[in-house]
Amino acid sequence: MKRRRFELDGASLVGAPLALGVILAAHVLEGGRVRTLLQPTAAVVVFGGTVAAMLISFPLATLVRALRACSTVFAGPPTPHRSLVLQFAEFAMRVRRKSVLALESEIGATDDPFLARALTMVVDGVAPADVRHALELDSQAREDADEECVHVLETAAGYTPTLGILGAVLGLIHVMENLSAPATLGSGIAVAFVATVYGVGAANLVLLPLSTKLRSRARSAALARDLIIEGSSAIQQSMPPRLLEQHLSAFIHTRDDDRKAVA
């Protein structure tokens, strides 16, 4: 895989503001004012409380890694798996015509560190069993790290609605303390429930969609790594290019069928 120019995912860029726009539009259509939804106290309870709960739940390094992972949601889609299959078919052709050393130039040309590591071991003549074992351990570690980032977001999505309810209760307590001023009860109750809007909205319009997108990309990346492992093994076994392409293509379909069966 050659180095790719950085791209943005248009669907994610549109979906993020659209989610907020839908809520604001519905509020305005019902005769509400946008200013009503801007409540600093509710934001402190929901978002500040969520941050505090996350700091207790996870190490700081894990939270930072999850934040960095969220930025990839807005990046362009990963390289199609079919392109990787064709890439390895080309590798097999070059190795057949020349030698495995013909792949040395590809190590520095790829922006995928996993592929670079696989090609390095193949070029260095590491035993096939050792190559597969090392790459499978690396892939599993990356998969665990990706899943941990997803778990962070799903955990946050569990905290925010509850904290929203907590914010609403605190607001209602304040309203009950001012029953002597009936004219302010309506607006006070409305303000109290803004915290619930923040909590439920953050969970279902931000955190859960982010976790779903990250898990989808993690599965795609895991399949790409499996293709690299299978392709590297096939090259070391001197598998013919056409047979290698058929093998990797069948591998993609098999993994997709297994994923659908599990779902």
Side-chain angles (χ1 to χ4, degrees):
M1 289 181 290
K2 306 296 184 181
R3 299 185 186 277
R4 301 174 59 203
R5 182 173 59 85
F6 180 77
E7 299 176 351
L8 294 175
D9 183 5
S12 296
L13 290 175
V14 171
L18 180 60
L20 177 61
V22 167
I23 299 300
L24 293 178
H27 179 64
V28 172
L29 288 174
E30 288 295 323
R33 295 177 298 175
V34 175
R35 186 175 61 182
T36 306
L37 295 178
L38 302 178
Q39 300 298 331
T41 303
V44 168
V45 172
V46 175
F47 302 119
T50 299
V51 170
M54 297 302 291
L55 288 173
I56 296 173
S57 301
F58 298 97
L60 183 59
T62 301
L63 297 177
V64 172
R65 187 168 61 249
L67 287 175
R68 290 176 178 172
C70 288
S71 65
T72 63
V73 170
F74 300 97
T79 302
H81 296 135
R82 180 61 184 171
S83 297
L84 188 58
V85 171
L86 297 177
Q87 186 78 16
F88 266 94
E90 179 187 346
F91 288 166
M93 182 68 70
R94 290 164 62 178
V95 170
R96 189 175 190 181
R97 291 176 177 175
K98 299 179 182 179
S99 70
V100 73
L101 295 178
L103 301 181
E104 189 170 8
S105 62
E106 295 293 332
I107 297 175
T110 180
D111 59 358
D112 185 345
F114 190 82
L115 176 58
R117 184 186 183 194
L119 293 178
T120 299
M121 288 191 290
V122 170
V123 170
D124 289 345
V126 179
D130 293 336
V131 171
R132 177 177 287 275
H133 180 67
L135 292 179
E136 286 179 345
L137 289 178
D138 190 352
S139 179
Q140 185 61 52
R142 292 170 187 262
E143 187 173 351
D144 291 343
D146 290 341
E147 183 59 31
E148 190 173 32
C149 292
V150 173
H151 180 55
V152 168
L153 294 177
E154 290 179 339
T155 300
Y159 289 143
T160 53
T162 304
L163 289 168
I165 296 174
L166 176 60
V169 172
L170 292 175
L172 290 176
I173 291 175
H174 180 70
V175 169
M176 298 298 290
E177 291 176 344
N178 293 277
L179 288 178
S180 58
T184 64
L185 293 182
S187 60
I189 293 174
V191 170
F193 283 103
V194 167
T196 304
V197 174
Y198 284 177
V200 176
N204 293 279
L205 296 178
V206 179
L207 296 172
L208 289 178
L210 282 176
S211 66
T212 300
K213 189 66 170 288
L214 285 182
R215 176 169 282 125
S216 175
R217 295 210 167 190
R219 289 173 175 172
S220 177
L223 177 54
R225 292 193 298 269
D226 287 344
L227 285 174
I228 292 173
I229 294 173
E230 290 296 322
S232 300
S233 178
I235 288 176
Q236 289 189 299
Q237 296 172 15
S238 301
M239 185 178 294
R242 183 170 298 180
L243 182 59
L244 182 148
E245 181 178 350
Q246 293 175 349
H247 172 66
L248 294 185
S249 297
F251 184 80
I252 293 176
H253 295 315
T254 300
R255 287 293 301 272
D256 287 342
D257 291 342
D258 291 343
R259 186 180 305 149
K260 292 177 181 178
V262 172

